[in-house]
Amino acid sequence: MIGDHKDYSATPLWKKLGIIEGARVRVLDAPDDFAPALSALAPIPDGVTFLTRTGRDLDVIVAFVRRASQLRRRFEPLTRAIAPAGRLWIAWPKKAARVDTDVDFALVQTTGLAAGLVDTKSAAITDVYQGLQFVRRRKDRPR
């Protein structure tokens, strides 16, 4: 609806990413410009753990990609690593950033949908990177 558009620019990054109390989070291949964005995560909810290795049942994964081959190679393992109600964020350089990339919104969305996930949110992760969030359909989550 026109006029009902919400402005999320003031929303803390941790909240945009869906990081909640006690979350297990993994960030992969973060660019240098993500360091200032990480400081924007503070103060994060209590009990959040940032993991340095991908494990299983992660609540939030943020994976930065610049190449389509990298996206395709990593997507399935990342899908397996998220918890049933977990969030997988794929971040790629915005066109306006003028970064050498062959990844765009359509490729990221198509890759996620082909893997059986649904995209539920898009957000600026940094000044250079845009992100698309994927989750499992409720009917596909283990009970």
Side-chain angles (χ1 to χ4, degrees), residues 16 33 62-65 89-95 97 103-105 108 121-133:
K16 284 183 191 179
D33 70 329
V62 183
F64 291 85
V65 297
W89 282 90
I90 301 296
W92 69 96
K94 301 173 187 177
K95 284 187 183 189
V103 180
D104 61 14
F105 178 89
V108 172
K121 185 189 288 187
S122 177
I125 306 296
T126 70
D127 290 341
V128 174
Y129 282 80
Q130 178 70 23
L132 189 60
Q133 174 185 264

Side-chain angles (χ1 to χ4, degrees), residues 2-139:
I2 296 175
D4 264 1
H5 177 59
K6 292 187 179 190
D7 179 11
Y8 292 102
S9 61
T11 303
L13 183 58
W14 61 266
K15 195 169 193 172
K16 284 183 191 179
L17 296 175
I19 298 173
I20 59 172
E21 187 173 320
R24 297 177 64 221
V25 180
R26 174 76 165 109
V27 178
L28 295 132
D29 296 325
D32 293 340
D33 70 329
F34 192 62
L38 276 177
S39 66
L41 289 174
I44 60 172
D46 291 336
V48 172
T49 304
F50 284 92
L51 303 169
T52 56
R53 297 163 79 189
T54 300
R56 296 278 186 200
D57 292 325
L58 301 178
D59 300 298
V60 178
I61 297 174
V62 183
F64 291 85
V65 297
R66 289 179 58 179
R67 295 279 162 237
S69 59
Q70 180 187 30
L71 173 67
R72 289 184 186 107
R73 183 177 66 250
R74 287 190 142 181
F75 205 91
E76 186 180 333
L78 292 173
T79 300
R80 287 193 311 265
I82 60 172
R87 295 163 161 72
L88 170 58
W89 282 90
I90 301 296
W92 69 96
K94 301 173 187 177
K95 284 187 183 189
R98 299 181 190 261
V99 172
D100 180 32
T101 185
D102 60 350
V103 180
D104 61 14
F105 178 89
L107 176 64
V108 172
Q109 184 183 48
T110 301
T111 303
L113 296 175
L117 301 180
V118 292
D119 56 304
T120 57
K121 185 189 288 187
S122 177
I125 306 296
T126 70
D127 290 341
V128 174
Y129 282 80
Q130 178 70 23
L132 189 60
Q133 174 185 264
F134 292 95
V135 298
R136 288 186 179 89
R137 289 176 177 88
R138 289 186 193 273
K139 68 178 182 121

